[in-house]
């Protein structure tokens, strides 16, 4: 089984961990539709909106520990299960377990949908401890 798309996506993860927004943007198609919180917030449409989202979100995440636990792919679609774990500027740790679908056109990401539980994230940002079910999800080895 090929893992071409997974390797491409891992380079996006590595870029975001370094806070290299330009490298993240370089992986995206001009017409990307990015549901960074599918069913919770409207998507970022196009690279300008995607960059604006990253510019707003980025300062609130320090020490990014983004990990993928499982993945599957087809020629133009990647399915991932992972956790976006980080520390906020006030020192609060947040772990956002998620599932994502990333669509490619050529070598660029044209569609990206992340499915998260916003209430769990907001609870952690408020300083509440990680719920047991979150601990179970995130305490697995990454790929």
């Amino acid at each position: 089984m090929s893992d071409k798309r997974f390797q491409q996506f891992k380079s996006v993860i590595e870029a975001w961990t370094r806070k290299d927004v330009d490298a993240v943007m370089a992986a995206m198609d001009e017409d990307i539709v990015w549901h960074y919180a599918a069913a919770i917030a409207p998507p970022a449409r196009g690279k300008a909106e995607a960059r604006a989202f990253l510019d707003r979100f980025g300062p609130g995440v320090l020490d990014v520990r983004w990990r993928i636990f499982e993945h599957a792919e087809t020629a133009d679609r990647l399915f991932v299960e992972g956790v976006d774990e980080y520390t906020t500027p006030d020192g609060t740790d947040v772990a956002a377990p998620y599932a994502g679908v990333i669509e490619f056109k050529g070598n660029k990401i044209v569609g990206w949908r992340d499915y998260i539980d916003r209430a769990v994230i907001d609870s952690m940002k408020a300083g509440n401890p990680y719920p047991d079910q979150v601990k179970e999800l995130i305490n697995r080895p990454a790929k």
Side-chain angles (χ1 to χ4, degrees):
M1 179 173 84
S2 171
D3 69 347
K4 174 184 176 182
R5 300 306 187 185
F6 181 60
Q7 295 306 319
Q8 286 176 277
F9 192 60
K10 278 179 66 174
S11 71
V12 172
I13 292 171
E14 291 163 4
W16 181 243
T17 300
R18 295 187 313 269
K19 295 295 190 96
D20 186 347
V21 175
D22 290 335
V24 173
M25 298 307 302
M28 294 182 185
D29 186 85
E30 289 296 327
D31 296 323
I32 186 164
V33 177
W34 183 13
H35 290 265
Y36 50 85
I40 297 171
R45 295 185 184 278
K47 283 180 102 169
E49 287 186 18
R51 180 177 280 280
F53 168 73
L54 290 176
D55 288 344
R56 284 189 315 273
F57 182 69
V61 296
L62 309 174
D63 188 25
V64 175
R65 300 172 304 278
W66 186 1
R67 295 172 285 142
I68 303 296
F69 302 121
E70 298 293 339
H71 74 280
E73 68 181 77
T74 64
D76 65 353
R77 194 164 302 199
L78 174 66
F79 299 85
V80 295
E81 178 190 13
V83 61
D84 189 359
E85 193 170 11
Y86 56 89
T87 304
T88 65
D90 69 1
T92 302
D93 287 325
V94 175
Y98 75 95
V101 181
I102 301 93
E103 295 177 70
F104 294 84
K105 180 171 73 175
N107 286 323
K108 301 288 184 179
I109 298 170
V110 71
W112 187 343
R113 295 177 298 282
D114 284 332
Y115 297 89
I116 61 169
D117 185 332
R118 182 66 183 260
V120 170
I121 295 167
D122 289 345
S123 176
M124 285 182 258
K125 283 184 175 180
N128 295 313
Y130 290 9
D132 288 341
Q133 70 272 17
V134 170
K135 290 178 190 174
E136 182 179 344
L137 289 170
I138 69 172
N139 288 326
R140 297 178 286 160
K143 299 272 179 179

